[in-house]
Amino acid sequence: MHCHDQVKNSNWTLRAVALVSAVLLGLIPWTDTAAAHGSIVDPAARNYGCFDRWGSDHLNPNMAQQDPMCWQAWQDNPNAMWNWNGLYRENVRGNHQGAIPNGQLCSAGRTEGGRYNSMDTVGPWQTTSVGSNFSLRLYDQASHGADYFQIYVTRQGFNPHTQPLTWNDLELVRTTGRYAPTQNITVDVNAPGRSGNHIVYTIWQASHMDQSYYMCSDVNFR
C-alpha cells in the first residue's frame, strides 16, 4: 500500500470515529439510518463530500460562495449529510432502472421521504480529479460486503452543470462480483475517452439483504 493510501485510510477512520463519537454525545441529529452501511468516499459521493468538507463547520456562511452545491444541500436537509451512509432503497430486486426515475438518480428516486432530494440538483458540484484508470473506494462501516457493484460514468458530451442525470447519459463501465464483509472496499475502474467534468454513478448491492445504494460522485477527467 502506498503512503498516500495509508493516509487516506487513516483519515477515513478518524472521520468515522469522530462521527460516531458525536452521535453518542448527541451532537448530531442521527436518524433511523444509523444502522445503515456506508458510502463511496473517493471519489466522494455528493453527500459524503459535503459532510467531509463542512460537517465540522456547516453553519459557515462562506459555504454559499465557496461550495454552493453543498450549501443548497445543507439548507435543504442537513440529515442528508449527517446520514451520509443511508442513501439506499430496499427490495429493488435488481430492477434499478425501473426503481429510479430519470432526473432522480442521485437521490435514489427521492428515497427516505425526500431526505436526499438536493443530491439531484444540477450545478457545479465540487469534483475529484481522476484519470481514465482510477480506484473507487467504499467505506462500509457495518462491514456487510457486496453482492456486486455496477459502476457507470457519464458519456462524453454530458454537462453535469446544466443537465439532469438520466440513465441514457450513463455508460456501464464495470460490474463486479461479490466482496466479503469488510469496512474498506476498492474497485478499479477504467473509463477511457473522457475529459472534463463527469458523474460516476455507483450502485452498491449490499449482501445482508436486498438493499441497494445509489451514489453520484463528481469527477474531472484529467
Side-chain angles (χ1 to χ4, degrees):
M1 178 181 290
H2 297 298
C3 290
H4 71 275
D5 292 330
Q6 293 175 329
V7 171
K8 282 186 177 179
N9 287 337
S10 297
N11 287 341
W12 301 340
T13 302
L14 289 172
R15 286 194 289 268
V17 169
L19 176 62
V20 171
S21 299
V23 170
L24 293 176
L25 291 171
L27 300 178
I28 293 177
W30 198 260
T31 64
D32 60 351
T33 57
H37 311 302
S39 184
I40 300 300
V41 297
D42 186 22
R46 287 179 172 176
N47 61 325
Y48 179 82
C50 290
F51 163 76
D52 187 35
R53 293 191 295 273
W54 296 99
S56 62
D57 196 22
H58 66 282
L59 299 178
N60 187 339
N62 292 330
M63 190 195 321
Q65 298 299 321
Q66 296 175 12
D67 199 348
M69 302 312 293
C70 281
W71 174 257
Q72 64 84 29
W74 282 101
Q75 299 307 301
D76 181 65
N77 193 331
N79 276 325
M81 277 62 69
W82 299 134
N83 291 282
W84 53 266
N85 62 358
L87 215 170
Y88 65 84
R89 299 184 71 90
E90 293 181 345
N91 302 316
V92 171
R93 297 180 176 85
N95 185 19
H96 304 296
Q97 294 192 30
I100 311 298
N102 286 331
Q104 300 179 19
L105 276 69
C106 298
S107 67
R110 300 179 179 173
T111 192
E112 295 294 311
R115 176 184 296 150
Y116 301 97
N117 287 4
S118 61
M119 300 298 108
D120 291 318
T121 303
V122 176
W125 291 87
Q126 287 201 15
T127 61
T128 301
S129 292
V130 298
S132 295
N133 295 290
F134 63 94
S135 294
L136 192 82
R137 301 173 188 271
L138 174 83
Y139 175 64
D140 174 10
Q141 74 183 112
S143 298
H144 277 304
D147 285 347
Y148 59 82
F149 291 87
Q150 291 179 353
I151 302 166
Y152 298 78
V153 181
T154 48
R155 304 178 191 278
Q156 189 66 21
F158 175 79
N159 187 346
H161 289 191
T162 61
Q163 297 175 251
L165 184 62
T166 72
W167 289 103
N168 286 337
D169 297 317
L170 295 170
E171 178 187 2
L172 180 62
V173 297
R174 179 78 196 272
T175 299
T176 75
R178 294 178 61 88
Y179 286 82
T182 183
Q183 288 195 329
N184 294 293
I185 295 175
T186 299
V187 181
D188 292 329
V189 181
N190 179 31
R194 291 170 172 81
S195 61
N197 291 346
H198 283 268
I199 296 172
V200 177
Y201 190 63
T202 303
I203 300 173
W204 164 34
Q205 184 68 36
S207 292
H208 70 300
M209 60 184 295
D210 187 1
Q211 195 171 72
S212 310
Y213 289 72
Y214 303 91
M215 293 157 287
C216 286
S217 301
D218 296 276
V219 300
N220 181 61
F221 281 93
R222 299 186 291 265

mmCIF file of all heavy atoms in Angstrom, residues 44-76 81 118-119 121-128 161 218:
data_model
loop_
_atom_site.group_PDB
_atom_site.id
_atom_site.type_symbol
_atom_site.label_atom_id
_atom_site.label_comp_id
_atom_site.label_asym_id
_atom_site.label_seq_id
_atom_site.Cartn_x
_atom_site.Cartn_y
_atom_site.Cartn_z
ATOM 1 N N ALA A 44 -15.494 11.143 -3.789
ATOM 2 C CA ALA A 44 -16.553 11.244 -2.796
ATOM 3 C C ALA A 44 -17.926 11.389 -3.423
ATOM 4 O O ALA A 44 -18.140 12.191 -4.339
ATOM 5 C CB ALA A 44 -16.292 12.436 -1.884
ATOM 6 N N ALA A 45 -18.892 10.597 -2.923
ATOM 7 C CA ALA A 45 -20.289 10.808 -3.267
ATOM 8 C C ALA A 45 -20.704 12.199 -2.792
ATOM 9 O O ALA A 45 -20.108 12.765 -1.870
ATOM 10 C CB ALA A 45 -21.156 9.738 -2.613
ATOM 11 N N ARG A 46 -21.721 12.746 -3.417
ATOM 12 C CA ARG A 46 -22.077 14.138 -3.152
ATOM 13 C C ARG A 46 -22.321 14.424 -1.678
ATOM 14 O O ARG A 46 -21.760 15.365 -1.117
ATOM 15 C CB ARG A 46 -23.305 14.531 -3.987
ATOM 16 C CG ARG A 46 -22.975 14.701 -5.451
ATOM 17 C CD ARG A 46 -24.173 15.059 -6.301
ATOM 18 N NE ARG A 46 -23.730 15.388 -7.662
ATOM 19 C CZ ARG A 46 -24.536 15.676 -8.671
ATOM 20 N NH1 ARG A 46 -25.853 15.670 -8.486
ATOM 21 N NH2 ARG A 46 -24.037 15.962 -9.862
ATOM 22 N N ASN A 47 -23.151 13.627 -1.037
ATOM 23 C CA ASN A 47 -23.469 13.960 0.354
ATOM 24 C C ASN A 47 -22.305 13.648 1.292
ATOM 25 O O ASN A 47 -22.068 14.384 2.257
ATOM 26 C CB ASN A 47 -24.758 13.283 0.818
ATOM 27 C CG ASN A 47 -24.702 11.780 0.766
ATOM 28 O OD1 ASN A 47 -24.077 11.191 -0.110
ATOM 29 N ND2 ASN A 47 -25.380 11.132 1.697
ATOM 30 N N TYR A 48 -21.516 12.593 0.993
ATOM 31 C CA TYR A 48 -20.345 12.343 1.824
ATOM 32 C C TYR A 48 -19.334 13.473 1.671
ATOM 33 O O TYR A 48 -18.714 13.905 2.648
ATOM 34 C CB TYR A 48 -19.682 11.006 1.480
ATOM 35 C CG TYR A 48 -18.463 10.757 2.328
ATOM 36 C CD1 TYR A 48 -18.594 10.249 3.615
ATOM 37 C CD2 TYR A 48 -17.185 11.095 1.880
ATOM 38 C CE1 TYR A 48 -17.485 10.066 4.425
ATOM 39 C CE2 TYR A 48 -16.070 10.913 2.683
ATOM 40 C CZ TYR A 48 -16.229 10.396 3.952
ATOM 41 O OH TYR A 48 -15.135 10.235 4.756
ATOM 42 N N GLY A 49 -19.141 13.967 0.442
ATOM 43 C CA GLY A 49 -18.216 15.073 0.227
ATOM 44 C C GLY A 49 -18.624 16.311 0.999
ATOM 45 O O GLY A 49 -17.783 17.001 1.590
ATOM 46 N N CYS A 50 -19.928 16.594 1.015
ATOM 47 C CA CYS A 50 -20.405 17.764 1.773
ATOM 48 C C CYS A 50 -20.203 17.570 3.267
ATOM 49 O O CYS A 50 -19.827 18.513 3.980
ATOM 50 C CB CYS A 50 -21.880 18.020 1.465
ATOM 51 S SG CYS A 50 -22.193 18.622 -0.216
ATOM 52 N N PHE A 51 -20.413 16.350 3.758
ATOM 53 C CA PHE A 51 -20.150 16.066 5.164
ATOM 54 C C PHE A 51 -18.659 16.188 5.473
ATOM 55 O O PHE A 51 -18.255 16.774 6.486
ATOM 56 C CB PHE A 51 -20.634 14.655 5.517
ATOM 57 C CG PHE A 51 -20.056 14.124 6.791
ATOM 58 C CD1 PHE A 51 -20.513 14.553 8.015
ATOM 59 C CD2 PHE A 51 -19.013 13.200 6.761
ATOM 60 C CE1 PHE A 51 -19.960 14.075 9.199
ATOM 61 C CE2 PHE A 51 -18.456 12.723 7.934
ATOM 62 C CZ PHE A 51 -18.930 13.159 9.155
ATOM 63 N N ASP A 52 -17.827 15.644 4.586
ATOM 64 C CA ASP A 52 -16.386 15.631 4.816
ATOM 65 C C ASP A 52 -15.824 17.051 4.849
ATOM 66 O O ASP A 52 -14.982 17.380 5.701
ATOM 67 C CB ASP A 52 -15.723 14.812 3.711
ATOM 68 C CG ASP A 52 -14.239 14.602 3.950
ATOM 69 O OD1 ASP A 52 -13.846 14.461 5.118
ATOM 70 O OD2 ASP A 52 -13.483 14.574 2.966
ATOM 71 N N ARG A 53 -16.293 17.899 3.943
ATOM 72 C CA ARG A 53 -15.749 19.254 3.848
ATOM 73 C C ARG A 53 -16.340 20.200 4.884
ATOM 74 O O ARG A 53 -15.665 21.134 5.339
ATOM 75 C CB ARG A 53 -15.987 19.824 2.442
ATOM 76 C CG ARG A 53 -15.206 19.124 1.356
ATOM 77 C CD ARG A 53 -15.248 19.868 0.029
ATOM 78 N NE ARG A 53 -16.577 19.941 -0.564
ATOM 79 C CZ ARG A 53 -17.100 19.014 -1.356
ATOM 80 N NH1 ARG A 53 -16.423 17.900 -1.608
ATOM 81 N NH2 ARG A 53 -18.296 19.168 -1.879
ATOM 82 N N TRP A 54 -17.600 19.990 5.267
ATOM 83 C CA TRP A 54 -18.297 21.006 6.055
ATOM 84 C C TRP A 54 -18.964 20.483 7.321
ATOM 85 O O TRP A 54 -19.581 21.255 8.057
ATOM 86 C CB TRP A 54 -19.368 21.679 5.187
ATOM 87 C CG TRP A 54 -18.798 22.418 4.028
ATOM 88 C CD1 TRP A 54 -18.711 21.984 2.722
ATOM 89 C CD2 TRP A 54 -18.203 23.715 4.051
ATOM 90 N NE1 TRP A 54 -18.111 22.928 1.944
ATOM 91 C CE2 TRP A 54 -17.788 24.014 2.733
ATOM 92 C CE3 TRP A 54 -17.986 24.668 5.055
ATOM 93 C CZ2 TRP A 54 -17.165 25.212 2.388
ATOM 94 C CZ3 TRP A 54 -17.369 25.859 4.715
ATOM 95 C CH2 TRP A 54 -16.967 26.126 3.403
ATOM 96 N N GLY A 55 -18.819 19.201 7.617
ATOM 97 C CA GLY A 55 -19.510 18.647 8.777
ATOM 98 C C GLY A 55 -19.156 19.336 10.081
ATOM 99 O O GLY A 55 -20.003 19.471 10.973
ATOM 100 N N SER A 56 -17.921 19.797 10.207
ATOM 101 C CA SER A 56 -17.499 20.471 11.433
ATOM 102 C C SER A 56 -17.729 21.981 11.376
ATOM 103 O O SER A 56 -17.446 22.688 12.344
ATOM 104 C CB SER A 56 -16.017 20.193 11.710
ATOM 105 O OG SER A 56 -15.216 20.711 10.653
ATOM 106 N N ASP A 57 -18.250 22.473 10.236
ATOM 107 C CA ASP A 57 -18.401 23.924 10.058
ATOM 108 C C ASP A 57 -19.594 24.227 9.141
ATOM 109 O O ASP A 57 -19.555 25.154 8.337
ATOM 110 C CB ASP A 57 -17.115 24.485 9.437
ATOM 111 C CG ASP A 57 -17.004 26.011 9.557
ATOM 112 O OD1 ASP A 57 -17.660 26.593 10.448
ATOM 113 O OD2 ASP A 57 -16.279 26.615 8.745
ATOM 114 N N HIS A 58 -20.671 23.459 9.311
ATOM 115 C CA HIS A 58 -21.757 23.515 8.335
ATOM 116 C C HIS A 58 -22.610 24.777 8.431
ATOM 117 O O HIS A 58 -23.439 25.021 7.551
ATOM 118 C CB HIS A 58 -22.650 22.279 8.459
ATOM 119 C CG HIS A 58 -23.404 22.192 9.742
ATOM 120 N ND1 HIS A 58 -22.807 21.786 10.921
ATOM 121 C CD2 HIS A 58 -24.690 22.466 10.039
ATOM 122 C CE1 HIS A 58 -23.699 21.801 11.888
ATOM 123 N NE2 HIS A 58 -24.852 22.203 11.376
ATOM 124 N N LEU A 59 -22.417 25.587 9.471
ATOM 125 C CA LEU A 59 -23.156 26.851 9.588
ATOM 126 C C LEU A 59 -22.370 28.032 9.029
ATOM 127 O O LEU A 59 -22.842 29.168 9.085
ATOM 128 C CB LEU A 59 -23.519 27.121 11.051
ATOM 129 C CG LEU A 59 -24.418 26.071 11.712
ATOM 130 C CD1 LEU A 59 -24.675 26.431 13.168
ATOM 131 C CD2 LEU A 59 -25.727 25.917 10.957
ATOM 132 N N ASN A 60 -21.210 27.769 8.484
ATOM 133 C CA ASN A 60 -20.352 28.826 7.953
ATOM 134 C C ASN A 60 -20.985 29.432 6.701
ATOM 135 O O ASN A 60 -21.153 28.739 5.692
ATOM 136 C CB ASN A 60 -18.978 28.247 7.616
ATOM 137 C CG ASN A 60 -17.968 29.305 7.229
ATOM 138 O OD1 ASN A 60 -18.326 30.411 6.830
ATOM 139 N ND2 ASN A 60 -16.694 28.957 7.342
ATOM 140 N N PRO A 61 -21.345 30.724 6.716
ATOM 141 C CA PRO A 61 -21.985 31.320 5.541
ATOM 142 C C PRO A 61 -21.071 31.378 4.321
ATOM 143 O O PRO A 61 -21.550 31.543 3.197
ATOM 144 C CB PRO A 61 -22.362 32.726 6.019
ATOM 145 C CG PRO A 61 -21.424 33.014 7.142
ATOM 146 C CD PRO A 61 -21.187 31.693 7.819
ATOM 147 N N ASN A 62 -19.768 31.243 4.512
ATOM 148 C CA ASN A 62 -18.847 31.243 3.377
ATOM 149 C C ASN A 62 -19.080 30.053 2.443
ATOM 150 O O ASN A 62 -18.672 30.085 1.280
ATOM 151 C CB ASN A 62 -17.399 31.228 3.861
ATOM 152 C CG ASN A 62 -17.010 32.515 4.561
ATOM 153 O OD1 ASN A 62 -17.532 33.581 4.241
ATOM 154 N ND2 ASN A 62 -16.109 32.416 5.528
ATOM 155 N N MET A 63 -19.739 29.011 2.957
ATOM 156 C CA MET A 63 -20.025 27.859 2.117
ATOM 157 C C MET A 63 -20.851 28.259 0.894
ATOM 158 O O MET A 63 -20.705 27.668 -0.180
ATOM 159 C CB MET A 63 -20.775 26.779 2.909
ATOM 160 C CG MET A 63 -20.879 25.465 2.175
ATOM 161 S SD MET A 63 -22.113 24.265 2.832
ATOM 162 C CE MET A 63 -21.967 24.441 4.597
ATOM 163 N N ALA A 64 -21.706 29.267 1.041
ATOM 164 C CA ALA A 64 -22.574 29.671 -0.064
ATOM 165 C C ALA A 64 -21.777 30.079 -1.292
ATOM 166 O O ALA A 64 -22.202 29.832 -2.428
ATOM 167 C CB ALA A 64 -23.490 30.809 0.383
ATOM 168 N N GLN A 65 -20.620 30.698 -1.088
ATOM 169 C CA GLN A 65 -19.776 31.109 -2.202
ATOM 170 C C GLN A 65 -18.711 30.077 -2.538
ATOM 171 O O GLN A 65 -18.400 29.847 -3.709
ATOM 172 C CB GLN A 65 -19.094 32.453 -1.872
ATOM 173 C CG GLN A 65 -20.069 33.602 -1.660
ATOM 174 C CD GLN A 65 -20.902 33.883 -2.899
ATOM 175 O OE1 GLN A 65 -20.397 33.822 -4.028
ATOM 176 N NE2 GLN A 65 -22.177 34.182 -2.697
ATOM 177 N N GLN A 66 -18.157 29.434 -1.525
ATOM 178 C CA GLN A 66 -17.049 28.510 -1.738
ATOM 179 C C GLN A 66 -17.508 27.148 -2.264
ATOM 180 O O GLN A 66 -16.771 26.478 -2.987
ATOM 181 C CB GLN A 66 -16.273 28.323 -0.434
ATOM 182 C CG GLN A 66 -15.610 29.591 0.074
ATOM 183 C CD GLN A 66 -14.951 29.387 1.429
ATOM 184 O OE1 GLN A 66 -14.790 28.255 1.903
ATOM 185 N NE2 GLN A 66 -14.554 30.480 2.068
ATOM 186 N N ASP A 67 -18.703 26.739 -1.902
ATOM 187 C CA ASP A 67 -19.186 25.397 -2.224
ATOM 188 C C ASP A 67 -20.708 25.455 -2.358
ATOM 189 O O ASP A 67 -21.442 24.881 -1.554
ATOM 190 C CB ASP A 67 -18.762 24.446 -1.097
ATOM 191 C CG ASP A 67 -18.791 22.981 -1.498
ATOM 192 O OD1 ASP A 67 -19.358 22.666 -2.566
ATOM 193 O OD2 ASP A 67 -18.259 22.145 -0.738
ATOM 194 N N PRO A 68 -21.222 26.162 -3.387
ATOM 195 C CA PRO A 68 -22.659 26.461 -3.443
ATOM 196 C C PRO A 68 -23.563 25.238 -3.522
ATOM 197 O O PRO A 68 -24.686 25.269 -3.011
ATOM 198 C CB PRO A 68 -22.794 27.337 -4.696
ATOM 199 C CG PRO A 68 -21.563 27.058 -5.501
ATOM 200 C CD PRO A 68 -20.489 26.772 -4.507
ATOM 201 N N MET A 69 -23.104 24.148 -4.144
ATOM 202 C CA MET A 69 -23.967 22.973 -4.232
ATOM 203 C C MET A 69 -24.115 22.305 -2.862
ATOM 204 O O MET A 69 -25.202 21.822 -2.504
ATOM 205 C CB MET A 69 -23.427 21.992 -5.273
ATOM 206 C CG MET A 69 -23.293 22.597 -6.668
ATOM 207 S SD MET A 69 -24.777 23.503 -7.217
ATOM 208 C CE MET A 69 -25.956 22.174 -7.358
ATOM 209 N N CYS A 70 -23.037 22.292 -2.089
ATOM 210 C CA CYS A 70 -23.170 21.785 -0.723
ATOM 211 C C CYS A 70 -24.013 22.730 0.124
ATOM 212 O O CYS A 70 -24.788 22.283 0.979
ATOM 213 C CB CYS A 70 -21.791 21.584 -0.095
ATOM 214 S SG CYS A 70 -20.965 20.078 -0.632
ATOM 215 N N TRP A 71 -23.877 24.015 -0.112
ATOM 216 C CA TRP A 71 -24.685 24.991 0.630
ATOM 217 C C TRP A 71 -26.174 24.717 0.434
ATOM 218 O O TRP A 71 -26.942 24.657 1.402
ATOM 219 C CB TRP A 71 -24.339 26.404 0.194
ATOM 220 C CG TRP A 71 -25.202 27.485 0.788
ATOM 221 C CD1 TRP A 71 -26.224 28.152 0.177
ATOM 222 C CD2 TRP A 71 -25.131 28.011 2.121
ATOM 223 N NE1 TRP A 71 -26.796 29.062 1.029
ATOM 224 C CE2 TRP A 71 -26.141 28.995 2.235
ATOM 225 C CE3 TRP A 71 -24.316 27.751 3.220
ATOM 226 C CZ2 TRP A 71 -26.344 29.726 3.403
ATOM 227 C CZ3 TRP A 71 -24.522 28.467 4.396
ATOM 228 C CH2 TRP A 71 -25.530 29.440 4.477
ATOM 229 N N GLN A 72 -26.599 24.527 -0.814
ATOM 230 C CA GLN A 72 -28.022 24.279 -1.044
ATOM 231 C C GLN A 72 -28.451 22.953 -0.428
ATOM 232 O O GLN A 72 -29.588 22.823 0.038
ATOM 233 C CB GLN A 72 -28.357 24.340 -2.542
ATOM 234 C CG GLN A 72 -27.717 23.301 -3.443
ATOM 235 C CD GLN A 72 -28.437 21.968 -3.507
ATOM 236 O OE1 GLN A 72 -29.660 21.927 -3.336
ATOM 237 N NE2 GLN A 72 -27.695 20.899 -3.731
ATOM 238 N N ALA A 73 -27.539 21.990 -0.389
ATOM 239 C CA ALA A 73 -27.869 20.698 0.208
ATOM 240 C C ALA A 73 -28.039 20.814 1.723
ATOM 241 O O ALA A 73 -28.994 20.265 2.300
ATOM 242 C CB ALA A 73 -26.788 19.676 -0.130
ATOM 243 N N TRP A 74 -27.126 21.519 2.382
ATOM 244 C CA TRP A 74 -27.253 21.715 3.832
ATOM 245 C C TRP A 74 -28.523 22.502 4.160
ATOM 246 O O TRP A 74 -29.193 22.219 5.163
ATOM 247 C CB TRP A 74 -26.039 22.446 4.389
ATOM 248 C CG TRP A 74 -24.819 21.596 4.573
ATOM 249 C CD1 TRP A 74 -23.737 21.527 3.753
ATOM 250 C CD2 TRP A 74 -24.542 20.685 5.654
ATOM 251 N NE1 TRP A 74 -22.814 20.633 4.254
ATOM 252 C CE2 TRP A 74 -23.277 20.116 5.417
ATOM 253 C CE3 TRP A 74 -25.256 20.314 6.796
ATOM 254 C CZ2 TRP A 74 -22.705 19.188 6.279
ATOM 255 C CZ3 TRP A 74 -24.683 19.397 7.667
ATOM 256 C CH2 TRP A 74 -23.424 18.839 7.399
ATOM 257 N N GLN A 75 -28.859 23.490 3.326
ATOM 258 C CA GLN A 75 -30.069 24.275 3.584
ATOM 259 C C GLN A 75 -31.325 23.427 3.385
ATOM 260 O O GLN A 75 -32.318 23.599 4.093
ATOM 261 C CB GLN A 75 -30.125 25.499 2.648
ATOM 262 C CG GLN A 75 -28.961 26.468 2.796
ATOM 263 C CD GLN A 75 -28.761 26.921 4.235
ATOM 264 O OE1 GLN A 75 -29.656 27.491 4.844
ATOM 265 N NE2 GLN A 75 -27.578 26.653 4.771
ATOM 266 N N ASP A 76 -31.279 22.527 2.417
ATOM 267 C CA ASP A 76 -32.452 21.702 2.128
ATOM 268 C C ASP A 76 -32.715 20.685 3.234
ATOM 269 O O ASP A 76 -33.844 20.556 3.703
ATOM 270 C CB ASP A 76 -32.257 20.989 0.790
ATOM 271 C CG ASP A 76 -33.454 20.136 0.416
ATOM 272 O OD1 ASP A 76 -34.541 20.710 0.181
ATOM 273 O OD2 ASP A 76 -33.313 18.902 0.361
ATOM 274 N N MET A 81 -26.540 14.879 4.911
ATOM 275 C CA MET A 81 -25.106 14.768 5.131
ATOM 276 C C MET A 81 -24.784 13.993 6.399
ATOM 277 O O MET A 81 -23.892 13.143 6.412
ATOM 278 C CB MET A 81 -24.462 16.159 5.169
ATOM 279 C CG MET A 81 -24.159 16.726 3.792
ATOM 280 S SD MET A 81 -25.628 16.982 2.739
ATOM 281 C CE MET A 81 -26.436 18.343 3.593
ATOM 282 N N SER A 118 -31.810 17.004 -2.599
ATOM 283 C CA SER A 118 -30.851 18.022 -3.040
ATOM 284 C C SER A 118 -29.688 17.428 -3.809
ATOM 285 O O SER A 118 -28.992 18.145 -4.539
ATOM 286 C CB SER A 118 -30.320 18.815 -1.837
ATOM 287 O OG SER A 118 -29.639 17.947 -0.932
ATOM 288 N N MET A 119 -29.469 16.122 -3.688
ATOM 289 C CA MET A 119 -28.388 15.491 -4.440
ATOM 290 C C MET A 119 -28.653 15.519 -5.944
ATOM 291 O O MET A 119 -27.731 15.408 -6.747
ATOM 292 C CB MET A 119 -28.187 14.038 -3.992
ATOM 293 C CG MET A 119 -27.835 13.863 -2.518
ATOM 294 S SD MET A 119 -26.284 14.655 -2.054
ATOM 295 C CE MET A 119 -26.908 16.050 -1.094
ATOM 296 N N THR A 121 -29.868 18.120 -7.515
ATOM 297 C CA THR A 121 -29.782 19.494 -8.007
ATOM 298 C C THR A 121 -28.650 19.629 -9.014
ATOM 299 O O THR A 121 -27.517 19.205 -8.772
ATOM 300 C CB THR A 121 -29.553 20.473 -6.837
ATOM 301 O OG1 THR A 121 -30.614 20.319 -5.886
ATOM 302 C CG2 THR A 121 -29.546 21.911 -7.340
ATOM 303 N N VAL A 122 -28.973 20.222 -10.149
ATOM 304 C CA VAL A 122 -27.996 20.382 -11.227
ATOM 305 C C VAL A 122 -27.156 21.625 -10.971
ATOM 306 O O VAL A 122 -27.685 22.691 -10.617
ATOM 307 C CB VAL A 122 -28.721 20.509 -12.580
ATOM 308 C CG1 VAL A 122 -27.728 20.771 -13.707
ATOM 309 C CG2 VAL A 122 -29.536 19.247 -12.864
ATOM 310 N N GLY A 123 -25.848 21.503 -11.120
ATOM 311 C CA GLY A 123 -24.983 22.653 -10.902
ATOM 312 C C GLY A 123 -23.536 22.233 -10.739
ATOM 313 O O GLY A 123 -23.178 21.060 -10.917
ATOM 314 N N PRO A 124 -22.681 23.182 -10.364
ATOM 315 C CA PRO A 124 -21.226 22.937 -10.309
ATOM 316 C C PRO A 124 -20.774 22.288 -9.004
ATOM 317 O O PRO A 124 -20.121 22.908 -8.169
ATOM 318 C CB PRO A 124 -20.647 24.342 -10.463
ATOM 319 C CG PRO A 124 -21.669 25.233 -9.810
ATOM 320 C CD PRO A 124 -23.007 24.622 -10.137
ATOM 321 N N TRP A 125 -21.105 21.021 -8.832
ATOM 322 C CA TRP A 125 -20.620 20.288 -7.662
ATOM 323 C C TRP A 125 -19.095 20.207 -7.706
ATOM 324 O O TRP A 125 -18.493 20.104 -8.769
ATOM 325 C CB TRP A 125 -21.200 18.876 -7.647
ATOM 326 C CG TRP A 125 -22.671 18.810 -7.375
ATOM 327 C CD1 TRP A 125 -23.683 18.899 -8.290
ATOM 328 C CD2 TRP A 125 -23.302 18.630 -6.098
ATOM 329 N NE1 TRP A 125 -24.903 18.793 -7.670
ATOM 330 C CE2 TRP A 125 -24.703 18.620 -6.323
ATOM 331 C CE3 TRP A 125 -22.832 18.466 -4.801
ATOM 332 C CZ2 TRP A 125 -25.621 18.462 -5.281
ATOM 333 C CZ3 TRP A 125 -23.738 18.307 -3.768
ATOM 334 C CH2 TRP A 125 -25.119 18.303 -4.002
ATOM 335 N N GLN A 126 -18.482 20.249 -6.530
ATOM 336 C CA GLN A 126 -17.026 20.102 -6.482
ATOM 337 C C GLN A 126 -16.619 18.723 -6.983
ATOM 338 O O GLN A 126 -17.307 17.725 -6.731
ATOM 339 C CB GLN A 126 -16.502 20.334 -5.060
ATOM 340 C CG GLN A 126 -16.535 21.790 -4.640
ATOM 341 C CD GLN A 126 -15.592 22.078 -3.489
ATOM 342 O OE1 GLN A 126 -14.705 21.293 -3.161
ATOM 343 N NE2 GLN A 126 -15.783 23.225 -2.862
ATOM 344 N N THR A 127 -15.493 18.679 -7.682
ATOM 345 C CA THR A 127 -15.063 17.442 -8.321
ATOM 346 C C THR A 127 -13.772 16.907 -7.715
ATOM 347 O O THR A 127 -13.016 17.624 -7.067
ATOM 348 C CB THR A 127 -14.832 17.663 -9.833
ATOM 349 O OG1 THR A 127 -13.793 18.642 -10.016
ATOM 350 C CG2 THR A 127 -16.106 18.132 -10.524
ATOM 351 N N THR A 128 -13.546 15.628 -7.974
ATOM 352 C CA THR A 128 -12.279 14.965 -7.683
ATOM 353 C C THR A 128 -11.594 14.687 -9.010
ATOM 354 O O THR A 128 -12.225 14.166 -9.945
ATOM 355 C CB THR A 128 -12.509 13.639 -6.936
ATOM 356 O OG1 THR A 128 -13.197 13.893 -5.710
ATOM 357 C CG2 THR A 128 -11.194 12.942 -6.659
ATOM 358 N N HIS A 161 -23.225 20.406 -15.206
ATOM 359 C CA HIS A 161 -23.565 21.740 -14.705
ATOM 360 C C HIS A 161 -24.931 22.200 -15.184
ATOM 361 O O HIS A 161 -25.533 23.091 -14.573
ATOM 362 C CB HIS A 161 -22.519 22.759 -15.151
ATOM 363 C CG HIS A 161 -21.202 22.616 -14.466
ATOM 364 N ND1 HIS A 161 -20.199 23.559 -14.554
ATOM 365 C CD2 HIS A 161 -20.701 21.630 -13.669
ATOM 366 C CE1 HIS A 161 -19.156 23.163 -13.843
ATOM 367 N NE2 HIS A 161 -19.438 21.995 -13.309
ATOM 368 N N ASP A 218 -18.827 13.297 -8.321
ATOM 369 C CA ASP A 218 -18.457 14.258 -9.367
ATOM 370 C C ASP A 218 -16.956 14.232 -9.560
ATOM 371 O O ASP A 218 -16.192 14.371 -8.607
ATOM 372 C CB ASP A 218 -18.945 15.651 -8.981
ATOM 373 C CG ASP A 218 -20.462 15.705 -8.921
ATOM 374 O OD1 ASP A 218 -21.086 15.900 -9.975
ATOM 375 O OD2 ASP A 218 -21.023 15.513 -7.825
#
